[in-house]
Amino acid sequence: METKLWNLKKNEPLAPQLIEAAALLAGGEVVAFPTETVYGLGADGLNPDACRKIFAAKGRPADNPLILHICEMDQILQLTSGLTPLAKKLMEAFWPGPMTLIVHKSDRIPDVVTAGLDTVAVRFPVHTVARELIRQAGTPIAAPSANKSGKPSPTNAADVLQDMDGIIAGVVDGGACDIGVESTIIDTTGPEAVILRPGGITLEMVSKVLGSVKLDPGLVKKDETPRAPGMKYRHYAPKAPMVLIEGPEASLGVIRAAVMAEASGLRTGVLALAGTVDHLPRSPRLIVHNGGSTLEELAENLFRELRLFDREQVDTIIGEGVDDTDLGLAIMNRMRKSAGHNILWAENGLLRRKSGHVPDYLKDFVVQ
C-alpha cells in the first residue's frame, strides 16, 4: 500500500488541505494525524471493519480498547448511555484538552472498539487539525498512538512513517506535538474518579476540580494490571535495554552509571536533564540527549529521544528520573515502562536496586 503524506501549510486554509485525508477516513481507511499529545492512528470509530485495520497496523492485541475522538463537546452524548456528575464536571473543566473520559457506552459503539467492555473511552482534543479532520470525516475517530505496539509513541510525522509507511493509507503532517505524552485517562463510571493513565491533566489539577481522585493500582504497583487503553501491555520501549536512575541523587547516579557503561566499551545512550548533561563526560561512545530543563520540556522530548536512540543503534540506555508529582507522574509512568521497571535508586552516594534487572556493567557497584 502507498502511504500518502500531506504536509500541511500554515499560511493556507486548513479545511481544503484535509479533504482527501478525511475522505479516506470516511471510506474506512486508516490515517495518522497529530493531536496536542501524540500522533493518533485514526479510523472511523463506528465502523468495526475500519477499526480492525488499526489493530492490524499496530499489531495491537484485540483486548486492548481504543479511544474515540470527537470534535465538539456534545458529540459524546451519542457515544454514551449516560454521563455521571463526575464526567460533567471534568468535561467543563478540561475539554477540549488532553483528557480522556471512561463513560458507559451506547449501543452505537462496536465491540471491537471497547474490547467487549460496557464502557468506552472518549476524548475531545484541542488540536485544530485533529478537530477539523474529525469534522470533515463526519464520525468519531478511533485513534490509539500511531506506532507499532510496544514502541515509543510518535510525536512527529517522520516517526509515524518509520512504523507505518506502506501499512496505512496516509499521514497528516501537522508538525511536532506540544505535550508529548498521551492524554490523561479518567474512569468516571464509579462513585469516585480514578486516573487510569496519567498525562497532561495532572492528579493535582483533577483534585482541585473534584476534591478527591484515586490512582489505578496498576500505576503504582508493578504486578497490578492497569485498566486503561494502551497500558496493559509492554509499551514505550526502545530497542536497547534501558535502566532508570531515580532518587534524590539521580543526576549523580546517571553520571556514574554513564561512566561505567562507557568504560565497559558500550555505545551508551543517556537521556538526562539539562543540568546533568552539562556534567557528563565527552566520549564517542556516549550518545547524550538533553531532555530539557523543565518537566514540560522533558515530556515533549521523551518519545522523540527514545526513538532517536533506536536510529543511533546504542547498546544500552540510561535515563534520569524526576519526582513523580504534577506532570512528573506521567513522565515517570512512561519512563518506568520504557525501562521495563529496571530501576536504580541513587542516595547517599550509593546506587541501590529498586526493581528489575541490574545491568552487567553496574553489578559490582550496585547495592542489591
Side-chain angles (χ1 to χ4, degrees), residues 178-191:
D178 294 329
I179 297 176
V181 293
E182 300 90 342
S183 62
T184 304
I185 299 180
I186 307 175
D187 186 353
T188 65
T189 61

PDB file of all heavy atoms in Angstrom, residues 178-191:
ATOM      1  N   ASP A 178       2.734  19.180  20.972  1.00  0.00           N
ATOM      2  CA  ASP A 178       3.151  20.106  22.027  1.00  0.00           C
ATOM      3  C   ASP A 178       3.428  19.417  23.358  1.00  0.00           C
ATOM      4  O   ASP A 178       4.407  19.742  24.033  1.00  0.00           O
ATOM      5  CB  ASP A 178       2.057  21.168  22.240  1.00  0.00           C
ATOM      6  CG  ASP A 178       1.887  22.075  21.038  1.00  0.00           C
ATOM      7  OD1 ASP A 178       2.885  22.314  20.336  1.00  0.00           O
ATOM      8  OD2 ASP A 178       0.758  22.526  20.802  1.00  0.00           O
ATOM      9  N   ILE A 179       2.569  18.484  23.767  1.00  0.00           N
ATOM     10  CA  ILE A 179       2.672  17.915  25.112  1.00  0.00           C
ATOM     11  C   ILE A 179       3.618  16.733  25.147  1.00  0.00           C
ATOM     12  O   ILE A 179       4.483  16.633  26.015  1.00  0.00           O
ATOM     13  CB  ILE A 179       1.278  17.522  25.638  1.00  0.00           C
ATOM     14  CG1 ILE A 179       0.412  18.790  25.767  1.00  0.00           C
ATOM     15  CG2 ILE A 179       1.380  16.804  26.980  1.00  0.00           C
ATOM     16  CD1 ILE A 179      -1.015  18.519  26.189  1.00  0.00           C
ATOM     17  N   GLY A 180       3.473  15.795  24.202  1.00  0.00           N
ATOM     18  CA  GLY A 180       4.460  14.735  24.060  1.00  0.00           C
ATOM     19  C   GLY A 180       4.162  13.442  24.796  1.00  0.00           C
ATOM     20  O   GLY A 180       4.799  12.426  24.519  1.00  0.00           O
ATOM     21  N   VAL A 181       3.246  13.443  25.763  1.00  0.00           N
ATOM     22  CA  VAL A 181       2.788  12.199  26.383  1.00  0.00           C
ATOM     23  C   VAL A 181       1.271  12.119  26.194  1.00  0.00           C
ATOM     24  O   VAL A 181       0.589  13.135  26.100  1.00  0.00           O
ATOM     25  CB  VAL A 181       3.136  12.111  27.880  1.00  0.00           C
ATOM     26  CG1 VAL A 181       4.640  12.007  28.073  1.00  0.00           C
ATOM     27  CG2 VAL A 181       2.574  13.298  28.661  1.00  0.00           C
ATOM     28  N   GLU A 182       0.762  10.889  26.152  1.00  0.00           N
ATOM     29  CA  GLU A 182      -0.642  10.696  25.832  1.00  0.00           C
ATOM     30  C   GLU A 182      -1.563  11.310  26.888  1.00  0.00           C
ATOM     31  O   GLU A 182      -1.147  11.663  27.984  1.00  0.00           O
ATOM     32  CB  GLU A 182      -0.947   9.190  25.701  1.00  0.00           C
ATOM     33  CG  GLU A 182      -0.149   8.497  24.620  1.00  0.00           C
ATOM     34  CD  GLU A 182       1.161   7.952  25.131  1.00  0.00           C
ATOM     35  OE1 GLU A 182       1.626   8.386  26.207  1.00  0.00           O
ATOM     36  OE2 GLU A 182       1.731   7.090  24.442  1.00  0.00           O
ATOM     37  N   SER A 183      -2.849  11.381  26.530  1.00  0.00           N
ATOM     38  CA  SER A 183      -3.834  12.032  27.382  1.00  0.00           C
ATOM     39  C   SER A 183      -4.001  11.322  28.724  1.00  0.00           C
ATOM     40  O   SER A 183      -3.764  10.117  28.852  1.00  0.00           O
ATOM     41  CB  SER A 183      -5.192  12.082  26.671  1.00  0.00           C
ATOM     42  OG  SER A 183      -5.663  10.768  26.417  1.00  0.00           O
ATOM     43  N   THR A 184      -4.430  12.078  29.714  1.00  0.00           N
ATOM     44  CA  THR A 184      -4.844  11.519  30.994  1.00  0.00           C
ATOM     45  C   THR A 184      -6.156  10.767  30.789  1.00  0.00           C
ATOM     46  O   THR A 184      -7.086  11.295  30.189  1.00  0.00           O
ATOM     47  CB  THR A 184      -5.053  12.634  32.024  1.00  0.00           C
ATOM     48  OG1 THR A 184      -3.862  13.413  32.129  1.00  0.00           O
ATOM     49  CG2 THR A 184      -5.412  12.071  33.387  1.00  0.00           C
ATOM     50  N   ILE A 185      -6.229   9.524  31.273  1.00  0.00           N
ATOM     51  CA  ILE A 185      -7.467   8.747  31.178  1.00  0.00           C
ATOM     52  C   ILE A 185      -8.081   8.644  32.564  1.00  0.00           C
ATOM     53  O   ILE A 185      -7.413   8.231  33.521  1.00  0.00           O
ATOM     54  CB  ILE A 185      -7.218   7.341  30.611  1.00  0.00           C
ATOM     55  CG1 ILE A 185      -6.628   7.428  29.205  1.00  0.00           C
ATOM     56  CG2 ILE A 185      -8.513   6.534  30.586  1.00  0.00           C
ATOM     57  CD1 ILE A 185      -6.341   6.075  28.569  1.00  0.00           C
ATOM     58  N   ILE A 186      -9.371   9.019  32.669  1.00  0.00           N
ATOM     59  CA  ILE A 186     -10.065   9.033  33.957  1.00  0.00           C
ATOM     60  C   ILE A 186     -11.358   8.243  33.845  1.00  0.00           C
ATOM     61  O   ILE A 186     -12.198   8.531  32.986  1.00  0.00           O
ATOM     62  CB  ILE A 186     -10.367  10.475  34.413  1.00  0.00           C
ATOM     63  CG1 ILE A 186      -9.089  11.332  34.399  1.00  0.00           C
ATOM     64  CG2 ILE A 186     -10.995  10.468  35.801  1.00  0.00           C
ATOM     65  CD1 ILE A 186      -9.325  12.789  34.721  1.00  0.00           C
ATOM     66  N   ASP A 187     -11.526   7.259  34.710  1.00  0.00           N
ATOM     67  CA  ASP A 187     -12.762   6.493  34.780  1.00  0.00           C
ATOM     68  C   ASP A 187     -13.777   7.268  35.612  1.00  0.00           C
ATOM     69  O   ASP A 187     -13.538   7.544  36.792  1.00  0.00           O
ATOM     70  CB  ASP A 187     -12.486   5.119  35.413  1.00  0.00           C
ATOM     71  CG  ASP A 187     -13.695   4.205  35.388  1.00  0.00           C
ATOM     72  OD1 ASP A 187     -14.800   4.652  35.011  1.00  0.00           O
ATOM     73  OD2 ASP A 187     -13.535   3.018  35.737  1.00  0.00           O
ATOM     74  N   THR A 188     -14.911   7.600  34.998  1.00  0.00           N
ATOM     75  CA  THR A 188     -15.940   8.388  35.686  1.00  0.00           C
ATOM     76  C   THR A 188     -17.193   7.570  35.956  1.00  0.00           C
ATOM     77  O   THR A 188     -18.236   8.137  36.293  1.00  0.00           O
ATOM     78  CB  THR A 188     -16.322   9.623  34.844  1.00  0.00           C
ATOM     79  OG1 THR A 188     -16.936   9.187  33.610  1.00  0.00           O
ATOM     80  CG2 THR A 188     -15.110  10.470  34.528  1.00  0.00           C
ATOM     81  N   THR A 189     -17.118   6.250  35.824  1.00  0.00           N
ATOM     82  CA  THR A 189     -18.323   5.429  35.916  1.00  0.00           C
ATOM     83  C   THR A 189     -18.635   4.973  37.335  1.00  0.00           C
ATOM     84  O   THR A 189     -19.726   4.429  37.574  1.00  0.00           O
ATOM     85  CB  THR A 189     -18.194   4.177  35.022  1.00  0.00           C
ATOM     86  OG1 THR A 189     -17.082   3.390  35.445  1.00  0.00           O
ATOM     87  CG2 THR A 189     -18.008   4.580  33.565  1.00  0.00           C
ATOM     88  N   GLY A 190     -17.724   5.167  38.252  1.00  0.00           N
ATOM     89  CA  GLY A 190     -17.934   4.721  39.631  1.00  0.00           C
ATOM     90  C   GLY A 190     -18.248   5.873  40.565  1.00  0.00           C
ATOM     91  O   GLY A 190     -18.435   7.022  40.131  1.00  0.00           O
ATOM     92  N   PRO A 191     -18.289   5.613  41.865  1.00  0.00           N
ATOM     93  CA  PRO A 191     -18.605   6.665  42.837  1.00  0.00           C
ATOM     94  C   PRO A 191     -17.498   7.702  42.976  1.00  0.00           C
ATOM     95  O   PRO A 191     -17.746   8.818  43.452  1.00  0.00           O
ATOM     96  CB  PRO A 191     -18.796   5.884  44.142  1.00  0.00           C
ATOM     97  CG  PRO A 191     -18.027   4.613  43.957  1.00  0.00           C
ATOM     98  CD  PRO A 191     -18.145   4.289  42.509  1.00  0.00           C
TER      99      PRO A 191
END
